[in-house]
Amino acid sequence: MTGGRFDVVMRQAIAVGSRHHPHPNPRVGAVLVDHEGRVIAEQGHARPGDVHAERALLQSFGPLPDGAVLVVTLEPCVHTGRTPPCTEAIIASGVGTVVVGAGDPDPRVAGRGIEALRAAGIDVVTDVETAAVEAADPGYFHHRRFGWPLVTLKQAVTLDGQIAAADGSSQWITGPEARADAHRLRAAHDAVLVGAGTLRSDDPRLDVRLDDHTGPQPVPVIVAGTRPLPAHLRIWERNPIVVASDETVLSGVEVMHAGTGGVVDLRQALVGLGERGILSVLAEGGAGLAAGLWSAGVVGRGVLYIGAKLAGGMGRGAFDRVFATLDDAVDIEIVEVSRLGADLRLDWRPRPSP
């Protein structure tokens, strides 16, 4: 198989891995091809705790044909967790060439998997379609590099930037197409995060309500204040994670503590969520939570739905903080703009420091 074909097969491996949601494990796809590049077998990592993609593929296949190449999206693991190292299975299989899409930033791997394969005499080709591999599982790469989940800030605003009217009403700023898209966005994340104010005003379930949704539901996470939370809300049916600084906010509810003195430390809270296996968080709270996350420097991405409505006055802005001077503004990168019915979706991310 020639080097020019590796990118094509790697894209197929990415597609195989993207069919599954194995967090807190990474999404991994593996494809086995013969010396002419014809696909022999493929496998994705299905669920946390299951055999990893490479090992599962090789276990399901008999003796390998001469010249077979294993194409895998992520550097094979070299440590023992809930399953044995994939490097051992690859070396034992007799495969001569392994093509790796992206190195694993997990410090337990971080180049050691590739070194182990090369030490065993296997030809390893690296950095094939790396950007596409990372784009298929951004939460995993972000968490392993920074120590907390990738936070996507989702907001819906009028054309003139209001998330709600002065009386708090906000349903519905956007139309049905944008609201359905927001449910698809929820489905792509491990958890949905809101503050106590949103919980009281909207009584949300924070679940995915799409007829074709068959994957796991995101974990609901509530950032509580100092006031007790109402006992009658629908969210309690879903066993949410409640984050608070000090006291228990509702009898019988387990609280994850982060911060002190009635103020939740959001970065500490996110680190705690990562320790619970949550690698991607969709923040849907109001202006207070948005301001807190932005001030904490933990927003990695943003999705802004711009409804086809003009408020024509001051209601509630997107961030509950003072914008004192233009110098306080932060440059962002607008990644994509798309139309959803009468509304717009704008995807953005903070611009990296030079």
Side-chain angles (χ1 to χ4, degrees), residues 226-242:
T226 55
R227 294 165 52 197
L229 295 173
H232 65 275
L233 300 177
R234 297 183 299 165
I235 199 66
W236 306 125
E237 301 171 4
R238 299 200 58 224
N239 298 316
I241 297 174
V242 178

Side-chain angles (χ1 to χ4, degrees), residues 66 99 102 133 150 209 280 307:
D66 291 340
V99 180
V133 170
L150 175 62
R209 297 187 298 279
S280 60

Side-chain angles (χ1 to χ4, degrees), residues 195-222:
T198 298
L199 194 67
R200 289 189 179 92
S201 62
D202 295 349
D203 190 17
R205 286 184 54 83
L206 305 182
D207 57 354
V208 178
R209 297 187 298 279
L210 296 170
D211 292 339
D212 60 350
H213 179 67
T214 58
Q217 287 286 349
V219 176
V221 182
I222 312 303

Side-chain angles (χ1 to χ4, degrees), residues 1 20 33 40 106 113 120 133 183 206 229 265 282 346 350-351:
M1 180 177 178
H20 309 284
V33 297
I40 304 171
D106 190 311
V133 170
H183 278 273
L206 305 182
L229 295 173
D265 183 323
L282 181 65
L346 188 150
R351 189 179 296 277

Side-chain angles (χ1 to χ4, degrees), residues 28 48 66 83 151 155 167 203 210 217 237 249 311 313 321 344:
V28 178
D66 291 340
T83 59
V151 176
Q155 296 172 300
D167 65 359
D203 190 17
L210 296 170
Q217 287 286 349
E237 301 171 4
V249 292
R321 61 188 300 216
L344 295 178

Side-chain angles (χ1 to χ4, degrees), residues 12-340:
Q12 181 170 343
I14 293 169
V16 171
S18 297
R19 297 170 191 161
H20 309 284
H21 195 104
H23 287 175
N25 298 138
R27 288 188 176 102
V28 178
V31 176
L32 191 67
V33 297
D34 65 17
H35 69 284
E36 293 184 354
R38 292 182 296 235
V39 173
I40 304 171
E42 61 181 33
Q43 182 70 51
H45 183 32
R47 290 176 297 275
D50 280 5
V51 176
H52 292 182
E54 309 96 295
R55 181 176 285 272
L57 185 151
L58 294 170
Q59 286 177 349
S60 67
F61 200 83
L64 300 183
D66 291 340
V69 176
L70 177 64
V71 178
V72 61
T73 56
L74 187 68
E75 176 182 4
C77 65
V78 71
H79 62 284
T80 299
R82 285 187 283 182
T83 59
C86 289
T87 50
E88 292 182 356
I90 294 170
I91 293 168
S93 74
V95 68
T97 302
V98 175
V99 180
V100 177
D104 191 341
D106 190 311
R108 296 171 297 179
V109 186
R112 293 173 57 227
I114 292 171
E115 290 174 2
L117 296 178
R118 285 177 171 159
I122 296 174
D123 181 24
V124 182
V125 180
T126 61
D127 303 322
V128 178
E129 294 288 322
T130 303
V133 170
E134 295 198 16
D137 197 7
Y140 176 80
F141 285 91
H142 184 279
H143 177 263
R144 293 304 191 268
R145 286 172 176 150
F146 296 98
W148 63 82
L150 175 62
V151 176
T152 299
L153 180 61
K154 172 247 175 182
Q155 296 172 300
V157 300
T158 62
L159 184 63
D160 44 351
Q162 305 302 297
I163 65 169
D167 65 359
S169 58
S170 61
Q171 296 180 337
W172 296 101
I173 286 176
T174 57
E177 295 88 351
R179 297 199 296 273
D181 187 75
H183 278 273
R184 288 189 287 272
L185 190 62
R186 280 184 181 177
H189 288 77
D190 297 338
V192 180
L193 176 70
V194 300
T198 298
L199 194 67
R200 289 189 179 92
S201 62
D202 295 349
D203 190 17
R205 286 184 54 83
L206 305 182
D207 57 354
V208 178
R209 297 187 298 279
L210 296 170
D211 292 339
D212 60 350
H213 179 67
T214 58
Q217 287 286 349
V219 176
V221 182
I222 312 303
V223 177
T226 55
R227 294 165 52 197
L229 295 173
H232 65 275
L233 300 177
R234 297 183 299 165
I235 199 66
W236 306 125
E237 301 171 4
R238 299 200 58 224
N239 298 316
I241 297 174
V242 178
V243 183
S245 64
D246 299 300
E247 300 300 325
T248 301
V249 292
L250 184 68
S251 177
V253 174
E254 181 184 0
V255 175
M256 186 176 79
H257 294 284
T260 58
V263 178
V264 171
D265 183 323
L266 290 171
R267 184 171 294 200
Q268 181 185 352
L270 287 165
V271 170
L273 292 176
E275 292 171 349
R276 295 185 179 212
I278 292 172
L279 307 186
S280 60
V281 173
L282 181 65
E284 291 192 4
L289 181 62
L293 292 168
W294 187 250
S295 297
V298 294
V299 176
R301 294 184 173 188
V303 175
L304 183 68
Y305 295 98
I306 303 175
K309 284 183 172 61
L310 185 70
M314 292 299 296
R316 298 183 181 179
F319 292 87
D320 187 12
R321 61 188 300 216
V322 174
F323 179 35
T325 175
L326 188 60
D327 289 339
D328 292 340
V330 175
D331 289 336
I332 64 165
E333 179 183 357
I334 297 176
V335 178
E336 185 177 0
V337 179
S338 53
R339 182 179 288 277
L340 296 165

